[in-house]
Amino acid sequence: MMENSKTSFYSREELAALGLKSYGKNVLISRYCRIYNPQNVVIGDNVRIDDFTIISAGKSVIIGNYVHIACYVSIIGSELIKISDFCGLSGRVSIYSSSDDYSGNFLSNPMVPEIYTNVKSAPVILENHVIVGCASVILPGLVIKEGAAIGALSLVQSSCEPNMIYSGNPLKRIIPRSERYKDLEKEFLSTKK
């Protein structure tokens, strides 16, 4: 890893001081990233988190191995958010495990007492090899299955099937995605032994 003066990523010693629940090898977290409730954050090996990302961990945020989280990503909510191995989040992606009720029957925002709100909270799981395009929004209570790809500017409100490419608002299945990534993963990991 490069020396502090030559990089905007935390050093290994600085990572230790963040108070993360755990983190692996080759973890690069930008000094401009903000992590709230770091004691609820687990990060695997070979992870890079770029500038201006916000991670606000309620119950737990789990980030797997070989994950890239680009700049300006928001990962926020009171329930579990899991980003599995080989996932990639493009810039400005937002993942929420909690959301206010927009019906008008309740008040909203965290400054209002809970008795007046109706916040929906549910886990969000991104399985292995999920990629999410720029400025997409993922709402609470869904699973994006292995190998699914979400196009830029998409709104994900329900679970997605494996190895499909989705896009839009409303989100639509576009075409199947190649599963060659599975063979490439095996080949790549065999070089690491």
Side-chain angles (χ1 to χ4, degrees), residues 62-163:
I62 300 171
I63 299 170
N65 302 307
Y66 297 101
V67 172
H68 177 232
I69 299 173
C71 58
Y72 296 99
V73 168
S74 299
I75 300 170
I76 298 171
S78 63
E79 275 294 329
L80 166 71
I81 297 174
K82 182 177 181 184
I83 302 165
S84 300
D85 298 349
F86 293 97
C87 285
L89 305 179
S90 297
R92 300 191 186 279
V93 166
S94 297
I95 300 175
Y96 298 100
S97 67
S98 298
S99 180
D100 279 306
D101 184 319
Y102 287 78
S103 68
N105 294 316
F106 300 92
L107 295 177
S108 64
N109 89 51
M111 299 309 294
V112 175
E114 210 173 292
I115 191 169
Y116 298 105
T117 65
N118 185 34
V119 175
K120 175 191 176 187
S121 296
V124 175
I125 310 293
L126 278 62
E127 293 185 351
N128 292 347
H129 295 281
V130 166
I131 57 173
V132 183
C134 182
S136 292
V137 176
I138 299 171
L139 296 179
L142 56 87
V143 176
I144 301 178
K145 295 288 193 174
E146 180 181 59
I150 309 299
L153 300 169
S154 295
L155 177 62
V156 184
Q157 300 180 78
S158 59
S159 294
C160 298
E161 296 175 25
N163 305 307

Side-chain angles (χ1 to χ4, degrees), residues 22-42:
S22 67
Y23 60 93
K25 297 175 287 189
N26 193 29
V27 172
L28 301 172
I29 299 177
S30 168
R31 295 173 191 282
Y32 301 106
C33 170
R34 293 291 177 253
I35 301 175
Y36 300 96
N37 300 317
Q39 70 279 5
N40 297 337
V41 176
V42 173

Side-chain angles (χ1 to χ4, degrees), residues 1 9-31 33-45 47-49 53-57 59-64 69 75:
M1 191 181 295
F9 296 112
Y10 288 117
S11 70
R12 192 79 178 161
E13 295 77 23
E14 291 168 323
L15 280 176
L18 289 178
L20 300 168
K21 185 170 184 178
S22 67
Y23 60 93
K25 297 175 287 189
N26 193 29
V27 172
L28 301 172
I29 299 177
S30 168
R31 295 173 191 282
C33 170
R34 293 291 177 253
I35 301 175
Y36 300 96
N37 300 317
Q39 70 279 5
N40 297 337
V41 176
V42 173
I43 300 175
D45 297 332
V47 172
R48 183 173 126 185
I49 303 173
T53 290
I54 297 172
I55 299 173
S56 183
K59 192 177 220 177
S60 187
V61 170
I62 300 171
I63 299 170
I69 299 173
I75 300 170

Side-chain angles (χ1 to χ4, degrees), residues 2-11 13-14 31:
M2 299 170 80
E3 294 296 319
N4 290 347
S5 61
K6 298 178 184 176
T7 180
S8 68
F9 296 112
Y10 288 117
S11 70
E13 295 77 23
E14 291 168 323
R31 295 173 191 282

